[in-house]
Amino acid sequence: MRNTAKITAAVLAAGALTLGLSACGSDKDSASDTSGPLVVAASPTPHAEILDYVKDNLAKDAGLDLEVKEFTDYVTPNTATEDGSVGANYFQTQPYLDDFNKKNGTHIVSVVDVHLEPLGLYSHKVKKADDLKSGATVAVPNDTVNEGRALQLLAANGIIGLKDGVGTAATPADITKNPKNLEFKELEAAQTPRSLDDVDAAVVNGNYAIEADLKPAQDALVLESAQGNPNSNLLAVKEGHEDDPRVKKLAKLLNSPEVKKFIEDKYAGAVLPSF
């Protein structure tokens, strides 16, 4: 039986605003008390599922007391890690983390890469990207890194052209070629799969695609390549907590042969081990 604390984004966002980004936290916060359980903030799919596998099958033998808290947004896990409400998080990529730290003054660092979720273009209205009509509307994530990733995916498949060197900072303003005159609708990443009935296509993050019962390897019109991809999802902590023995145990377990097999068996190519 799962013993996972599920927290709504609205409640957590309110809590995060109250706590702010203070480094102090409480005297008994999760990050400072290394004798207690390691509390890890995670997106529900696949991150919390992978952590639950570790908790249920590997943690006890490794002497790790692990607690998983599910978050449904891409902001609160980092603010909770910064203020000490949780001891670590597992939901993001290095480019996203770098951008978040820069914009928010947080001090969160990567511990270990775990998996890649290929970004994909999906549609309920066409079967191939070439079938998108002139003036079609495409939903993309509205956070800096994932929007840039989405546009790079479209550019890599010849759907649009982008300015040289914009990387994951790309926005629709950086589009240099748009032969189909596509219009872009910027949405919170979690909303992109829900928009598929309202737009012609949407670029969806792998975890949200899985939650929406999309099968990236089968359903995506175009799919991000895993080869040379810098967007692995990682375990992260507040700077200074990298040597926490609980964090070291979890990092080792997340890169274990058992977890690799679990990812490969459960997600059938929709999630790929990064180790």
Side-chain angles (χ1 to χ4, degrees):
M1 178 177 177
R2 288 174 54 169
N3 185 24
T4 302
K6 295 189 178 180
I7 302 177
T8 66
V11 172
L12 286 167
L17 288 172
T18 303
L19 290 168
L21 296 178
S22 167
C24 58
S26 67
D27 291 338
K28 296 182 179 180
D29 66 33
S30 171
S32 62
D33 182 12
T34 60
S35 65
L38 177 63
V39 183
V40 183
S43 297
T45 306
H47 309 78
E49 293 174 348
I50 294 170
L51 289 170
D52 282 337
Y53 171 79
V54 171
K55 177 183 173 69
D56 295 341
N57 297 277
L58 306 174
K60 184 176 180 181
D61 288 345
L64 174 64
D65 188 359
L66 180 62
E67 181 179 338
V68 184
K69 288 190 175 181
E70 293 186 8
F71 291 70
T72 59
D73 70 298
Y74 282 173
V75 175
T76 322
N78 275 337
T79 58
T81 303
E82 179 75 9
D83 67 36
S85 300
V86 300
N89 68 55
Y90 173 35
F91 78 101
Q92 64 192 322
T93 66
Q94 188 67 55
Y96 180 86
L97 173 58
D98 292 342
D99 183 71
F100 190 95
N101 279 333
K102 181 178 179 181
K103 289 183 175 178
N104 296 280
T106 44
H107 310 84
I108 300 164
V109 296
S110 169
V111 177
V112 68
D113 288 343
V114 183
H115 76 267
L116 173 72
E117 300 163 17
L119 210 67
L121 177 69
Y122 301 86
S123 177
H124 286 171
K125 299 177 181 177
V126 299
K127 298 295 185 183
K128 298 184 297 183
D130 287 345
D131 293 338
L132 288 169
K133 296 180 180 179
S134 180
T137 301
V138 178
V140 294
N142 65 3
D143 62 274
T144 301
V145 170
N146 283 304
E147 180 172 55
R149 244 178 109 184
L151 296 175
Q152 292 288 354
L153 171 67
L154 300 181
N157 287 274
I159 299 169
I160 60 171
L162 289 172
K163 293 177 183 176
D164 291 339
V166 290
T168 55
T171 72
D174 296 308
I175 294 173
T176 57
K177 296 179 181 178
N178 189 1
K180 289 182 177 287
N181 298 308
L182 300 177
E183 296 183 8
F184 293 93
K185 187 172 185 179
E186 297 167 303
L187 300 174
E188 183 183 351
Q191 299 298 320
T192 54
R194 301 170 198 170
S195 74
L196 283 169
D197 289 330
D198 303 315
V199 299
D200 296 290
V203 180
V204 183
N205 290 72
N207 60 315
Y208 292 131
I210 296 166
E211 288 177 20
D213 293 325
L214 295 168
K215 296 178 175 61
Q218 300 173 25
D219 298 334
L221 306 184
V222 296
L223 191 64
E224 209 172 26
S225 172
Q227 187 173 3
N229 197 311
N231 294 293
S232 290
N233 284 238
L234 52 87
L235 178 69
V237 297
K238 186 174 182 180
E239 188 175 6
H241 294 275
E242 303 95 314
D243 292 330
D244 182 328
R246 302 169 304 169
V247 171
K248 286 187 170 183
K249 287 177 182 178
L250 179 57
K252 185 176 181 180
L253 293 176
L254 285 172
N255 275 189
S256 66
E258 293 88 348
V259 167
K260 183 177 183 179
K261 186 176 187 303
F262 173 77
I263 292 173
E264 291 173 339
D265 290 349
K266 183 172 179 63
Y267 300 109
V271 178
L272 305 170
S274 296
F275 55 94

